[in-house]
Amino acid sequence: MRAAAGDVVGILCLVSVAATLDFKYHHAEELEKYLKGVHAEYPSLTHLHSIGRSVEGRDLWVLVLGRFPTHHKIGIPEFKYVANMHGDETVGREILLHLIDFLVTSYRQDPVITRLLNNTRIHIMPTMNPDGFEATEVPDCYYTRGRYNKNGEDLNRNFPDAFENNNASIQPETQAVMNWIKNETFVLSANLHGGALVASYTFDNGNSVTGSSKGYSRSPDDDVFIHLAKTYSSHHASMYKGTGCDKRQTFPEGITNGYSWYQLEGGMQDYNYVWGQCFEITLELSCCKYPPADQLEKFWRDNKVALIEYIKQVHLGVKGQVTDKNGNPIPNAIVEAKGRPHICPYRTNEQGEYYLLLLPGTYVINATVPGFKSMLKTVEIPDNTGNFSALKQDFSFSEVSIRPRVASCPKIPLYQELTRASAAVKPTLHVLVLMTALLVILK
């Protein structure tokens, strides 16, 4: 069927928009037009969808890029970038548009980008808070009301918290992201902010169980998080210098533990790690939150290499499938590395897949199907990020032929419960986490 003349003109307009991305600020209509233009020009490489709407009804657009953009493919990890969570922190919003442009135009031209897109499913959300961005009428380096959503809520204080009860009312933007995390198998993520120049990693909140009394809130995967933060800072044009934005605040090697910087309740990166099985760091990319548009090109140049190198880290560690005696996938099996159990045990997805980000070394991987004997396998993990594939290690439970029931951790302050247990019996952190994991399994 031939397209009508108007349809042809419309498509050509979209394509021309995709072909000419200027270094300027793109408001809601322009941003949407650009994303639709990219998808029209690269329909087999991209998938555009909205994960929900803001308070004022604006779409929360996500562009997915990869060889299989419309759906998850077994063995291909899911990665995401989220920007503009605070509406007046604007650099991330624009450099993600330029990242999209760089990825689609480099595919099948640049061998590294081609392999990256062939082996990774990349989700890019340029703005989580479109209402806040549109409300920022007068750009400011330090603070405007546009930081918040239309309801006046700080979205990076709006998620369930693992350490204390967060009484904030869950906002539409927050709920959309929580649903998105639940529906995908995200492995690695970063959220892009402004107002400082540093890569900050989990935990943002803490208590005595995670060592917060010493001014540092340590996760079981602290070594991996330090590596991830250093990967970004070391490939950034200046973040690695650690000079910060003024002489009063410095960050050695351009990184910081979130809690060591300042305590934050209800943050998105902790939520990703505890309940999403996704390692996320926070990237503060500009001393000025809303800098002049004529600086955007330099921000893109400063971050371009780091953005790509960080995505590659999704291929760290080990991945695989857990199957039953008939070769069918077992969802909800617990798969953890010995010695680093998570407060909410990491489980296989519907395809029986697991992904564990681990640095090169020797590990014992423990796979458990509730009600059956655990299976242990020792693995030697190389650095496979350059090969764009984590080490593959499958588990087959020959005695299992049933699907375990769906299990999930409640959205309550799980570490608060451990503190109470610690006060009662004083066991080690390792035992405490195992106790919590056992309670979740039995429930």
Side-chain angles (χ1 to χ4, degrees):
M1 181 178 176
R2 294 183 62 187
D7 294 336
V8 173
V9 171
I11 292 171
L12 288 175
C13 287
L14 287 175
V15 171
S16 65
V17 168
T20 56
L21 179 64
D22 296 328
F23 285 99
K24 67 168 197 171
Y25 286 110
H26 295 79
H27 286 265
E29 290 185 5
E30 296 172 292
L31 185 144
E32 180 177 337
K33 189 176 182 180
Y34 173 72
L35 294 176
K36 288 182 176 178
V38 170
H39 178 55
E41 190 169 358
Y42 303 93
S44 63
L45 186 65
T46 65
H47 170 59
L48 180 63
H49 68 116
S50 171
I51 65 164
R53 290 182 180 271
S54 67
V55 173
E56 291 191 307
R58 293 185 174 93
D59 280 301
L60 303 175
W61 291 110
V62 173
L63 189 77
V64 190
L65 305 97
R67 188 157 49 117
F68 306 99
T70 60
H71 60 281
H72 177 70
K73 194 77 171 176
I74 292 173
I76 294 184
E78 310 278 345
F79 175 94
K80 64 180 165 72
Y81 274 133
V82 177
N84 204 209
M85 184 182 201
H86 293 142
D88 62 344
E89 297 173 14
T90 57
V91 170
R93 174 188 178 109
E94 295 303 323
I95 68 170
L96 287 189
L97 295 183
H98 286 277
L99 176 62
I100 289 169
D101 179 65
F102 176 70
L103 291 173
V104 296
T105 56
S106 299
Y107 187 64
R108 292 181 176 163
Q109 303 296 321
D110 182 306
V112 172
I113 299 303
T114 301
R115 292 188 68 193
L116 181 65
L117 286 169
N118 282 343
N119 294 282
T120 320
R121 190 162 175 248
I122 302 169
H123 305 244
I124 296 179
M125 176 189 277
T127 176
M128 182 180 164
N129 186 3
D131 296 352
F133 178 80
E134 297 301 326
T136 309
E137 297 178 357
V138 180
D140 190 277
C141 277
Y142 301 103
Y143 171 82
T144 71
R145 290 290 301 170
R147 172 186 179 89
Y148 308 102
N149 77 343
K150 181 63 177 178
N151 289 336
E153 295 288 342
D154 187 328
L155 298 180
N156 206 30
R157 308 292 189 277
N158 197 236
F159 286 81
D161 192 87
F163 296 92
E164 52 192 302
N165 286 307
N166 187 356
N167 296 319
S169 175
I170 300 293
Q171 296 299 296
E173 299 91 343
T174 308
Q175 190 62 58
V177 170
M178 290 170 62
N179 294 342
W180 184 36
I181 292 169
K182 181 180 178 180
N183 292 332
E184 299 285 355
T185 306
F186 288 121
V187 179
L188 180 61
S189 174
N191 69 86
L192 282 54
H193 288 251
L197 191 62
V198 67
S200 174
Y201 56 91
T202 210
F203 285 116
D204 275 329
N205 206 348
N207 61 19
S208 59
V209 174
T210 60
S212 65
S213 59
K214 298 179 180 179
Y216 190 111
S217 189
R218 189 180 309 274
S219 77
D221 297 292
D222 191 63
D223 57 338
V224 181
F225 276 110
I226 290 172
H227 166 80
L228 293 171
K230 284 184 177 180
T231 294
Y232 199 93
S233 69
S234 66
H235 288 93
H236 185 277
S238 59
M239 187 183 290
Y240 69 94
K241 297 177 183 177
T243 53
C245 294
D246 57 51
K247 294 180 180 179
R248 294 172 297 171
Q249 191 174 59
T250 60
F251 301 103
E253 298 184 85
I255 71 171
T256 184
N257 173 255
Y259 186 90
S260 293
W261 187 12
Y262 61 89
Q263 185 178 3
L264 187 160
E265 176 190 340
M268 185 165 69
Q269 72 176 12
D270 285 5
Y271 178 85
N272 269 274
Y273 178 61
V274 172
W275 284 289
Q277 302 188 185
C278 175
F279 288 41
E280 179 172 283
I281 67 172
T282 299
L283 300 171
E284 301 280 354
L285 301 181
S286 61
C287 294
C288 178
K289 292 190 174 190
Y290 200 145
D294 61 10
Q295 296 179 17
L296 290 174
E297 186 171 5
K298 184 180 186 302
F299 280 117
W300 165 240
R301 290 198 308 268
D302 288 351
N303 288 276
K304 178 180 175 181
V305 175
L307 288 165
I308 298 299
E309 290 301 318
Y310 185 76
I311 297 174
K312 292 180 183 178
Q313 305 312 305
V314 77
H315 298 289
L316 273 175
V318 61
K319 65 182 179 182
Q321 267 188 299
V322 179
T323 56
D324 64 17
K325 65 180 182 181
N326 298 314
N328 298 315
I330 301 177
N332 300 308
I334 296 172
V335 184
E336 302 266 45
K338 193 173 181 181
R340 52 178 73 211
H342 298 101
I343 186 79
C344 183
Y346 279 24
R347 295 176 178 270
T348 54
N349 64 13
E350 280 298 309
Q351 289 79 38
E353 288 179 286
Y354 74 92
Y355 295 85
L356 295 176
L357 293 182
L358 297 165
L359 298 184
T362 304
Y363 299 86
V364 176
I365 308 300
N366 185 348
T368 303
V369 177
F372 295 86
K373 187 177 180 181
S374 295
M375 187 178 296
L376 303 176
K377 290 191 178 183
T378 301
V379 296
E380 184 70 34
I381 295 179
D383 181 359
N384 268 350
T385 55
N387 295 324
F388 302 98
S389 178
L391 178 73
K392 195 169 188 297
Q393 179 63 69
D394 295 332
F395 292 85
S396 178
F397 283 80
S398 57
E399 73 276 20
V400 177
S401 61
I402 60 170
R403 286 172 60 93
R405 62 185 179 180
V406 175
S408 62
C409 290
K411 305 296 193 299
I412 61 172
L414 299 172
Y415 276 100
Q416 196 176 77
E417 300 301 315
L418 285 192
T419 305
R420 290 168 182 161
S422 178
V425 296
K426 298 290 183 183
T428 65
L429 173 61
H430 180 73
V431 172
L432 282 168
V433 176
L434 288 178
M435 287 167 54
T436 302
L438 183 60
L439 286 171
V440 171
I441 293 169
L442 292 175
K443 285 182 180 178

